[in-house]
Amino acid sequence: MGTDSDLSYDHERPAHKVLVDGFYISETEVTNTQFKKFIDTTGYKTVAERKPTWDELKQYLPPGTTPIPRQPVSARLARLRSSRSSRFTRRLFAVVVFLAGADWQHPEGPQSNLEGRWDHPVIHIAYEDALAYCKWEGSRLPTEAEWELASNGAERTTSEGQVRSDTFQGAFPTYDRHEDGFASTSTVKTYPPNELGLYDMIGNVWEWTSDFYDINYYKTLKGMTDNPKGPAKSFDPNEPYATLRVTKGGSFLVLASDYCTNYRTSARQASPVDSGSSNIGFRTVRDY
């Protein structure tokens, strides 16, 4: 598990040995069709569909934080562009966009729908949404170790250059050539499965795991670890007040050439549990 590759990021290192018991795992990421059946049966409302309260929001912020008055978006943008955090902030703002009214049924906001995308992975799923689905189905989320074991044999391309996953083609984030025919998520089973018969273990959407994210966790492991379930709590100095879980597998926004290298099975990212996004979904497991 993990890697010592020069392509990797520090939180993926070092490679280390783990022992994982057998388990069942879903062939594909949970689709919109599957998630709709859950919603229709239970009446569940996802986090993105609820109106948050200040008491909910402030638990993820530094102590003493108070809300600021509403102001026009143009004013906020002007202040952002004039800030001294400059380059990184501007680039992040160009890539990450908050879109009011986006949820699993309306992926690009209130005017969008799921027509033609029922067999795509469900997105805009927060961690508790994934847990609710698992409870209804009688399953659970995979541990990071289980997920990485199941991803065995997953590749972005073949030795002949054939694309095997839904990732970004072009100059990120401004120009995507859509060589795979998809502007965002793709229909599950579009690409060949890995050697275990599992689809989209690389690309399409990042997938929730049950592990807390601690940037230093791998460095604390010694020898063989039996069925690791991750650290006791999350830690990332860049997001000290957020509760973070590990997501795996990369997404349609992962680019191999000039932006990131998250198209590998050891790739991992920290995702705040209180929100979803257009490139995060999940798959489920059951005990063997």
Side-chain angles (χ1 to χ4, degrees):
M1 186 174 178
T3 183
D4 294 316
S5 167
D6 291 340
L7 287 174
S8 65
Y9 299 104
D10 187 62
H11 65 170
E12 298 173 61
R13 307 176 197 138
H16 52 283
K17 294 183 179 181
V18 300
L19 182 65
V20 179
D21 291 340
F23 58 95
Y24 296 99
I25 187 167
S26 54
E27 277 188 310
T28 71
E29 295 148 339
V30 173
T31 65
N32 287 310
T33 295
Q34 293 171 311
F35 199 76
K36 184 178 186 300
K37 184 178 180 181
F38 157 62
I39 297 295
D40 290 346
T41 302
T42 64
Y44 179 84
K45 273 196 170 184
T46 62
V47 170
E49 295 172 289
R50 307 173 209 159
K51 185 176 181 179
T53 66
W54 173 243
D55 285 340
E56 290 173 326
L57 294 174
K58 69 182 181 182
Q59 65 181 306
Y60 302 105
L61 301 170
T65 301
T66 57
I68 61 173
R70 293 183 66 182
Q71 55 184 307
V73 171
S74 57
R76 292 201 300 270
L77 283 173
R79 182 179 301 141
L80 180 67
R81 287 173 181 148
S82 66
S83 72
R84 297 183 66 87
S85 54
S86 65
R87 182 179 174 185
F88 175 76
T89 304
R90 287 200 299 270
R91 187 179 190 191
L92 180 63
F93 201 86
V95 176
V96 181
V97 177
F98 175 79
L99 187 60
D103 57 46
W104 77 273
Q105 298 183 85
H106 309 96
E108 288 85 40
Q111 305 309 312
S112 63
N113 57 49
L114 295 175
E115 183 177 351
R117 290 189 277 192
W118 288 106
D119 290 329
H120 287 220
V122 64
I123 55 176
H124 296 295
I125 297 298
Y127 184 74
E128 71 177 76
D129 301 331
L131 291 185
Y133 178 93
C134 288
K135 182 178 180 180
W136 169 76
E137 187 188 60
S139 61
R140 59 179 174 83
L141 291 174
T143 65
E144 184 178 7
E146 287 172 332
W147 191 99
E148 195 160 325
L149 174 62
S151 69
N152 183 33
E155 300 176 282
R156 182 178 179 272
T157 58
T158 66
S159 56
E160 296 80 24
Q162 177 191 5
V163 175
R164 295 178 60 96
S165 60
D166 181 11
T167 52
F168 197 93
Q169 302 104 36
F172 189 85
T174 55
Y175 174 60
D176 185 353
R177 295 191 298 269
H178 307 315
E179 293 172 348
D180 55 8
F182 298 99
S184 57
T185 57
S186 59
T187 306
V188 298
K189 297 189 177 182
T190 293
Y191 301 94
N194 71 355
E195 60 188 46
L196 297 179
L198 305 175
Y199 295 85
D200 295 313
M201 295 303 290
I202 297 294
N204 215 354
V205 293
W206 287 94
E207 300 177 18
W208 287 110
T209 73
S210 59
D211 289 32
F212 283 116
Y213 174 87
D214 184 329
I215 195 170
N216 299 314
Y217 175 60
Y218 282 6
K219 295 175 178 59
T220 69
L221 302 177
K222 308 295 180 184
M224 176 77 78
T225 307
D226 191 2
N227 289 301
K229 292 180 169 53
K233 59 182 180 179
S234 67
F235 171 71
D236 185 341
N238 296 314
E239 297 184 82
Y241 300 101
T243 301
L244 306 167
R245 299 274 180 172
V246 175
T247 49
K248 297 282 285 184
S251 77
F252 64 87
L253 290 175
V254 166
L255 182 66
S257 57
D258 67 346
Y259 190 75
C260 73
T261 60
N262 282 325
Y263 51 86
R264 294 163 295 99
T265 58
S266 63
R268 57 203 304 260
Q269 85 173 357
S271 296
V273 299
D274 61 319
S275 58
S277 72
S278 63
N279 67 334
I280 294 182
F282 68 108
R283 75 179 71 215
T284 64
V285 304
R286 296 183 183 183
D287 294 330
Y288 182 70

